[in-house]
Amino acid sequence: MHDLSRRHLLKATAAAGVGAVAFPGIAAGVPGSSSGSSVSGSVKSRSAELTGRIVRPEDPGYAKASLGWDELFVHYPLVLVFAQEAQDVVNALTWARQNDVALRVRSGRHSLEGWSNVDNGIVIDVSELKSVRIDTASRTATVGAGLNQLEAVTALGKKGLAAPTGTEGSVGLSGATLGGGFGLLTRYLGMACDHLTAAEIVVASGADGAGAIKVDLQDNLDLLWALRGAGNGNFGIVTSLTYKVTPLTSVAYVQATWKGLNDLYGVFDAWQRTAPFADNRLTSQLEIHKPQIMLFAVLANGSEAEAKELLAPTLSVGRPDVSVQVGSWRDIYAGFQIPSTNEPANWKFNSQFITEPFPDKAISLIGSFVQDAPSDDSNYFTNAFGGAVKTSEPTGGTAFPHRDALFYAEPGAGWGTRGNEESGEPTTPKAQAWIAEFSQALRPYVNGAYVNVPNVGMQDWETAYWGYNFDRLRKIKAKYDPHNVFQYEQSIPPWC
C-alpha cells in the first residue's frame, strides 16, 4: 500500500531533478528502421528517432500530458510519445531499447496505481490511435488502441451493434479488454476479452529493435490467449484490436436508490442470491455509499415491466426510488457518464472476486466500514457475474481465470479536488488506511483479484490475478519478451 500523497510524490521527484537525464534522439524526424519481425536475436537495428507527437519537460503542455486520471500519483517522464500510427510505436520502442530508457505503455490514463507512467523514462501513449472499421456483414470491428469505452460504445451503437465494456466511458478500451473487461452487458455477452479475435502488437525484436506482429487464431494464437486477460503492457504495445460484435437495438436501464444504510442487509443478500442467477440478459451492480445504496441494472432487449419483474427480489426490500429508461445502449451508456472533471482527484481501490454468498458477518463488515468511510465518494461496489461469463469462453480460450465468480467487488475511496494538489492531503492517510483495513477484514470471504484493479502489497498477486494460468503466461512472456523489456511493479516475469 502506497503511503505517499500526490504532493509528496511531487516533492520527491522534483528533488531527483526533472529532466536531469538526457539521451540522444529526442526529436521528431525521419523514422529509423527497426529490425525484422523476429522476437529474439542478436541483430542490431539502425539508430532510431522518435516520431509522432512528442512532449518533453520544457514544453508548455507537459504537465497536462503527463498527468493521469488518478492524481494521487504523479511522475515526470523524460519524454512522452503520442503515437499517430503504429510505426511511431515501433520507433519509440526501438529508441527506448537503444538508449536503455525505462518505458511504460499508456492509453486511457486510468492505471489505478500510476503504473502507466514513469520518472525519467519514456511513456508510449496510444490514445490518439482512434481509427474505427466496422464490418456489419461479418459482425467484426477493428479499432485503434486509443479508443475509450464511450467512443467504442458510440461507434458501435451507430450501427446497432455492441460489445461488452466497463461502465466508465473515459477508461481506455484496450486496457480494459486486455485485463478482462466487464460492465453492464457482461452476463449477456461475456467479458470484453472474450470478444477479442485479433490484434496488432508491437513487440521487442532482435538485440535492440521492435516490430509489429499480427495476433489471431491463425498467427501467434498463444499470444492471443494471453492478451485475453493478462493485462496491458506485459508482452508489447497493442496498436489495434479486432472484436466480435453483437446486434443490440434496445435496453432497459434501471436505477434504484435506498436512503442511508438501514436496508443494507436485505438489499445485499437479496441481490447476491439472485443477480448472478437471473436471466442472462440482465446484469446489475450495487454501489454502497454512506448516504445511500444504489442499484444499476441493464436488461438487454427487454421491457420496463420485465426488468422490474426480474429485479423484484431486490426492489421489494424497503422503499427504494426506482426509475427505468428504455432506449438504445448507445444513448443509455452516454447518459450515465460522469465527467472526469466532476470526480474526486485521488482514488484508491482493492479488487475482490466472490465465489460464495457473503454471510451475515461479511455484510455487517461492509456496513460498518462504509459508515466510517473517509468521504461520501467512497463506496463498496459490486458487479454480478454468472451468465455468459461462465458459459461463453471463446475459441482459443482466455487467460482470464475468474469464470466461477458470483460477483466482483471492490472497496474504493475517492477524495480531493481535481487540479488542487493540496485539497486531499488531510484525507489521504485516512483513505489509505480505510482501504487497507476494509480489504483485510473481508479477506476470509473473497477469492482472487482483478489485474485491472491491482492490489498493491498483496503477497500472492500472481495467483490472485491469474490462478493456474500464471505459469503459462510466464512461458509466453519468455517467448515474446525474453529480455523483460516490458516490466512494471506487478508485471509478468519471463519463465527462466
Side-chain angles (χ1 to χ4, degrees):
M1 184 64 65
H2 287 296
D3 59 0
L4 291 177
S5 69
R6 178 173 185 263
R7 184 170 176 80
H8 291 148
L9 283 167
L10 280 164
K11 290 178 179 178
T13 311
V18 178
V21 180
F23 294 96
I26 310 181
V30 179
S33 65
S34 64
S35 64
S37 61
S38 62
V39 173
S40 61
S42 58
V43 178
K44 289 197 172 184
S45 308
R46 290 169 54 187
S47 180
E49 293 184 345
L50 298 181
T51 58
R53 185 169 73 87
I54 298 167
V55 180
R56 313 175 186 86
E58 63 269 24
D59 293 334
Y62 175 81
K64 181 179 179 180
S66 62
L67 187 62
W69 173 79
D70 191 341
E71 296 183 11
L72 184 63
F73 306 101
V74 173
H75 294 281
Y76 292 91
L78 179 70
V79 60
L80 300 100
V81 174
F82 290 84
Q84 307 300 297
E85 59 182 8
Q87 187 61 45
D88 297 333
V89 177
V90 173
N91 294 342
L93 177 54
T94 304
W95 182 90
R97 297 191 72 198
Q98 289 178 349
N99 291 287
D100 194 25
V101 176
L103 67 93
R104 295 295 169 90
V105 183
R106 192 178 73 176
S107 177
R109 306 196 190 197
H110 276 255
S111 176
L112 297 180
E113 290 295 332
W115 294 343
S116 63
N117 207 338
V118 63
D119 293 320
N120 285 324
I122 182 172
V123 173
I124 304 175
D125 189 298
V126 298
S127 64
E128 296 178 7
L129 300 178
K130 292 187 180 294
S131 60
V132 178
R133 290 198 320 274
I134 299 173
D135 187 331
T136 55
S138 65
R139 293 183 181 175
T140 61
T142 299
V143 302
L147 250 63
N148 65 32
Q149 295 184 138
L150 176 59
E151 291 166 337
V153 170
T154 300
L156 291 174
K158 290 178 180 178
K159 302 288 187 178
L161 300 167
T165 69
T167 54
E168 293 187 53
S170 62
V171 170
L173 176 68
S174 58
T177 300
L178 297 174
F182 58 84
L184 284 168
L185 294 180
T186 295
R187 299 189 68 258
Y188 178 52
L189 296 177
M191 305 294 292
C193 68
D194 296 345
H195 290 247
L196 182 66
T197 62
E200 180 185 69
I201 180 171
V202 175
V203 297
S205 66
D208 61 356
I213 63 173
K214 180 181 179 182
V215 177
D216 57 24
L217 290 174
Q218 287 72 46
D219 299 301
N220 305 302
L221 175 59
D222 55 349
L223 186 52
L224 176 62
W225 174 87
L227 293 179
R228 292 168 166 172
N232 197 13
N234 271 300
F235 307 98
I237 305 169
V238 172
T239 55
S240 75
L241 309 96
T242 299
Y243 293 88
K244 175 185 69 176
V245 295
T246 303
L248 181 62
T249 56
S250 177
V251 302
Y253 173 62
V254 181
Q255 180 174 333
T257 304
W258 292 260
K259 293 181 180 179
L261 297 174
N262 290 337
D263 291 312
L264 175 60
Y265 177 81
V267 169
F268 196 100
D269 196 52
W271 179 85
Q272 71 172 342
R273 296 185 186 280
T274 58
F277 310 103
D279 187 311
N280 286 5
R281 294 174 299 139
L282 180 72
T283 304
S284 57
Q285 302 171 340
L286 288 179
E287 277 190 21
I288 303 164
H289 298 255
K290 183 177 179 179
Q292 61 189 4
I293 303 166
M294 304 177 74
L295 177 142
F296 306 94
V298 165
L299 177 64
N301 299 316
S303 66
E304 175 178 348
E306 191 178 11
K308 286 182 175 180
E309 181 180 356
L310 290 169
L311 291 165
T314 304
L315 297 180
S316 64
V317 178
R319 300 178 63 185
D321 293 325
V322 181
S323 64
V324 183
Q325 294 174 266
V326 177
S328 71
W329 175 234
R330 176 186 65 176
D331 292 342
I332 295 293
Y333 188 91
F336 62 63
Q337 296 305 312
I338 299 172
S340 295
T341 52
N342 295 347
E343 296 178 313
N346 308 312
W347 289 89
K348 198 70 176 177
F349 300 91
N350 184 275
S351 61
Q352 308 165 347
F353 287 96
I354 291 81
T355 55
E356 297 289 339
F358 275 164
D360 294 358
K361 184 177 180 181
I363 300 174
S364 178
L365 283 169
I366 294 169
S368 62
F369 273 96
V370 171
Q371 188 66 47
D372 193 37
S375 69
D376 286 347
D377 289 297
S378 302
N379 67 87
Y380 191 73
F381 165 83
T382 69
N383 194 114
F385 271 36
V389 178
K390 194 169 185 177
T391 61
S392 301
E393 194 167 2
T395 301
T398 76
F400 182 81
H402 307 288
R403 300 286 173 176
D404 292 330
L406 294 178
F407 58 93
Y408 168 82
E410 65 187 27
W415 71 99
T417 303
R418 291 192 174 273
N420 184 347
E421 63 190 50
E422 298 182 356
S423 65
E425 283 194 352
T427 307
T428 297
K430 181 179 179 181
Q432 291 176 326
W434 182 79
I435 285 287
E437 293 166 7
F438 196 171
S439 306
Q440 182 64 28
L442 287 177
R443 282 197 68 182
Y445 313 105
V446 304
N447 295 279
Y450 183 38
V451 66
N452 281 353
V453 183
N455 292 348
V456 176
M458 175 177 277
Q459 292 184 347
D460 59 344
W461 55 269
E462 302 94 337
T463 53
Y465 297 148
W466 301 295
Y468 53 81
N469 290 330
F470 183 60
D471 285 348
R472 183 179 176 187
L473 287 168
R474 290 192 65 189
K475 292 175 182 177
I476 295 171
K477 172 77 168 182
K479 177 179 176 181
Y480 291 93
D481 185 21
H483 302 296
N484 204 21
V485 173
F486 296 95
Q487 57 177 290
Y488 52 91
E489 286 78 354
Q490 288 184 347
S491 58
I492 298 168
W495 188 274
C496 298

